[in-house]
Amino acid sequence: MDEPSAFQLILSGDPQLLAIVRLSLSVTLAATLVAGVLGLGLGACLALTRFPGRQGLVIALNALMGLPPVVVGLLVFLALSRSGPLGFLGLLFTPQAMIIAQTILITPIIAALSRQVIEDLWAEYKDEFTAMDVPGAMRVRALLWDARFSLVTILLAGFGRAAAEVGAVMIVGGNIEGFTRMMTTSIALETSKGDLPLAISLGIILIAIMFCVNALAWGVRQWSVRHAG
Amino acid sequence: MQDRWSYKDAAPQTLLRLYNASLRYGAVDVLQDVSLEISAGGPVILMGPNGSGKTSLLKLMMGLVAPSAGEVHCARSRVSFVFQKSVMLRRSVAANVAFALQAAGLPANDKEIHAALAQVGLSYLAQRPARRLSGGEQQRLALARALSRNPAILFLDEPTASLDPAQTKAVEDIVMASAALGVKIVMSTHDIGQARRLASEVLFLAGGRLVERAAAESFFNLPESPEAQRFLAGDLVISPEVKS
Ligand SMILES: Nc1ncnc2c1ncn2[C@@H]1O[C@H](COP(=O)(O)OP(=O)(O)OP(=O)(O)O)[C@@H](O)[C@H]1O
Ligand SMILES: [Mg+2]
């Protein structure tokens, strides 16, 4: 009974719906970008250096992969709230706050997974690189480049996790209509209000996005297997 | 002993020197008191049974591992290494050569890459992913990478161990051609036939010790050490059985 109107919302390009989708995508893309830079950097460092306490850091990072989003939301909320250490920035209940929360949520995932990928590749390349006397910076670049397909897949996984998450952005964004209302937070709200067509149409779009991301990840794998071996 | 293994036509140029070098992993003595000099000249072939320390000695000479005692002096500036099982970068054949050139600080333009690939007969596979090559093609690519660096010494660790006779011959031909161009070859093998074909000089290892060093001819005709005699005899005992 409700489905037709949900599809109508999507097909008619409802402006409210489009605004929510646009905000969601830009927040999550920004978070993935920042977390990508931080996570890949951290992952590469951990993979290629040896220092006391490294093992502990690797274990901690693996544990942080399962960080509950609401806890991240709470921590970011406390940091950004008026009386918090970063309260002076005035970022609470803004899209930037949501970017920060999502970044914190997925940086450990990207770092931990890329550490594993880069370390495995390094174990393979180590003797050849040493024999070829490859300079340090060139080693890192070559490892990142040769692992690029796996790393892109990791970034897509991070994007998927951030896009699907609701607890953190709800807390730090405040779900303000037309400003910080994301797809996931709208679904939660509209469902509780009983506006099912909007909730369902957002759900459909979210699932479609996840399908696209996974198809992309799969395509990248296939392409890499065929072209890079 | 000295003149037994030095070449008549050898330039008196020392490329590498080991002095009482030992290598130990934990409680295992892998190499003990190895002293030797490698000078310019024909191919040096490292022989010995499995586990005698051939790979370890090559890695020590190359500087991939440090001696636990003694000294290793090597003109580390330009040496190359071909492993028994080479690792190809996840790139095209041409990009693998380009990488080796860049790592050595050499210009990696099409001309250099093509020359390196032509040398090993792989030009026609230049754009293929390197990991898709057959074992023999991968070893030839490894040779192209190693030679593109213009090494003074080329170390090879049983480079043909898993290759068929045709691919083995191809690799041997490339090695001999490089030797003729003045690259010092230091190669391990436990294939006696291959050693006979390639060696100017033989280093024979047993139980982590350098038990014999001789010019190829005298080593194969009149091995001095009982270990080498037994090793070579093993070959003679097996061959007639195969034929009958
Ligand atoms: N990392 C290591 N730790 C402990 N023992 C080692 C290590 N590397 C080599 N060995 C030991 O050192 C000895 C010599 O090994 P090495 O690989 O040099 O022999 P090899 O002559 O190359 O043998 P093969 O003909 O089988 O290749 C072996 O007994 C081996 O078990
Ligand atoms: Mg070996």
Side-chain angles (χ1 to χ4, degrees):
Chain A
M1 195 169 53
D2 283 321
E3 271 107 298
S5 42
F7 280 113
Q8 271 163 15
L9 274 178
I10 298 174
L11 293 175
S12 66
D14 181 71
Q16 190 197 357
L17 184 88
L18 285 185
I20 294 173
V21 173
R22 204 176 309 125
L23 176 73
S24 291
L25 286 181
S26 35
V27 164
T28 303
L29 275 177
T32 307
L33 212 69
V34 178
V37 172
L38 296 177
L40 288 184
L42 187 59
C45 278
L46 281 175
L48 302 177
T49 56
R50 294 287 176 271
F51 54 88
R54 174 185 168 278
Q55 202 57 41
L57 211 57
V58 168
I59 292 169
L61 213 53
N62 284 334
L64 287 179
M65 286 209 288
L67 215 53
V70 283
V71 175
V72 173
L74 177 63
L75 291 176
V76 175
F77 180 90
L78 292 175
L80 294 181
S81 66
R82 191 87 57 82
S83 54
L86 299 175
F88 66 94
L89 294 173
L91 287 178
L92 196 59
F93 305 136
T94 63
Q96 286 89 325
M98 298 194 292
I99 294 175
I100 292 171
Q102 289 195 344
T103 300
I104 293 174
L105 190 69
I106 63 173
T107 297
I109 297 176
I110 294 174
L113 295 178
S114 61
R115 198 256 333 148
Q116 190 67 56
V117 163
I118 295 169
E119 202 169 310
D120 289 350
L121 192 60
W122 173 234
E124 212 179 304
Y125 282 3
K126 189 171 188 239
D127 279 350
E128 296 278 0
F129 277 23
T130 312
M132 279 193 235
D133 235 347
V134 182
M138 192 175 165
R139 284 177 194 205
V140 178
R141 254 184 293 131
L143 287 168
L144 289 177
W145 179 251
D146 281 18
R148 64 195 178 279
F149 301 114
S150 306
L151 296 178
V152 166
T153 310
I154 290 171
L155 290 182
L156 291 173
F159 176 89
R161 164 106 162 135
E165 170 287 316
V166 52
V169 288
M170 182 78 98
I171 294 175
V172 305
N175 201 17
I176 302 164
E177 186 169 7
F179 186 49
T180 58
R181 188 158 294 178
M182 306 274 278
M183 284 193 274
T184 53
T185 58
S186 303
I187 293 174
L189 180 70
E190 301 303 336
T191 306
S192 68
K193 282 197 326 195
D195 184 356
L196 291 181
L198 183 57
I200 292 171
S201 57
L202 284 168
I204 292 170
I205 293 176
L206 197 53
I207 289 175
I209 290 173
M210 291 307 168
F211 263 95
C212 289
V213 166
N214 279 293
L216 203 61
W218 181 83
V220 165
R221 276 253 141 257
Q222 293 301 310
W223 196 92
S224 73
V225 165
R226 194 143 6 96
H227 289 86
Chain B
M1 166 123 183
Q2 186 74 18
D3 45 17
R4 200 178 154 201
W5 52 264
S6 63
Y7 305 101
K8 283 166 257 129
D9 57 348
Q13 182 196 359
T14 303
L15 297 168
L16 185 117
R17 180 182 290 125
L18 272 69
Y19 182 72
N20 282 349
S22 296
L23 184 64
R24 134 189 311 230
Y25 290 113
V28 189
D29 279 313
V30 174
L31 291 172
Q32 288 176 59
D33 285 332
V34 177
S35 296
L36 61 88
E37 262 178 36
I38 302 268
S39 308
V44 174
I45 301 294
L46 213 55
M47 297 187 78
N50 287 126
S52 55
K54 300 183 294 294
T55 299
S56 304
L57 180 57
L58 283 171
K59 287 188 170 174
L60 194 67
M61 293 197 271
M62 166 77 191
L64 284 177
V65 293
S68 33
E71 289 166 33
V72 177
H73 299 285
C74 179
R76 185 74 176 73
S77 56
R78 278 294 160 76
V79 294
S80 289
F81 201 112
V82 173
F83 294 88
Q84 180 171 338
K85 187 79 191 64
S86 299
V87 176
M88 298 295 122
L89 300 187
R90 290 180 186 165
R91 306 176 184 203
S92 70
V93 167
N96 266 271
V97 175
F99 184 83
L101 285 165
Q102 280 159 4
L106 297 168
N109 51 39
D110 286 348
K111 191 170 140 273
E112 313 285 339
I113 294 168
H114 180 77
L117 288 177
Q119 196 177 3
V120 301
L122 282 182
S123 303
Y124 70 108
L125 293 175
Q127 297 315 318
R128 279 269 210 84
R131 294 189 180 219
R132 284 294 149 74
L133 301 184
S134 74
E137 289 160 349
Q138 290 200 7
Q139 281 310 66
R140 271 147 69 201
L141 176 53
L143 271 166
R145 280 194 321 207
L147 290 170
S148 70
R149 299 160 49 83
N150 292 325
I153 313 179
L154 173 61
F155 296 100
L156 304 105
D157 189 15
E158 298 190 34
T160 62
S162 54
L163 305 187
D164 70 21
Q167 292 286 350
T168 298
K169 169 123 186 5
V171 168
E172 285 178 10
D173 287 348
I174 298 162
V175 167
M176 291 312 280
S178 322
L181 290 173
V183 180
K184 179 71 187 186
I185 304 292
V186 181
M187 174 172 150
S188 77
T189 183
H190 52 224
D191 176 344
I192 295 172
Q194 180 169 61
R196 280 181 192 276
R197 289 191 291 276
L198 302 186
S200 286
E201 185 184 354
V202 174
L203 301 180
F204 187 79
L205 282 173
R209 289 181 180 279
L210 181 59
V211 294
E212 188 159 351
R213 170 170 197 167
E217 206 172 316
S218 58
F219 178 82
F220 290 115
N221 295 332
L222 277 171
E224 273 183 353
S225 64
E227 291 92 340
Q229 284 164 6
R230 250 178 284 138
F231 186 79
L232 291 174
D235 179 51
L236 296 175
V237 171
I238 290 167
S239 309
E241 275 178 17
V242 172
K243 272 175 200 143
S244 64

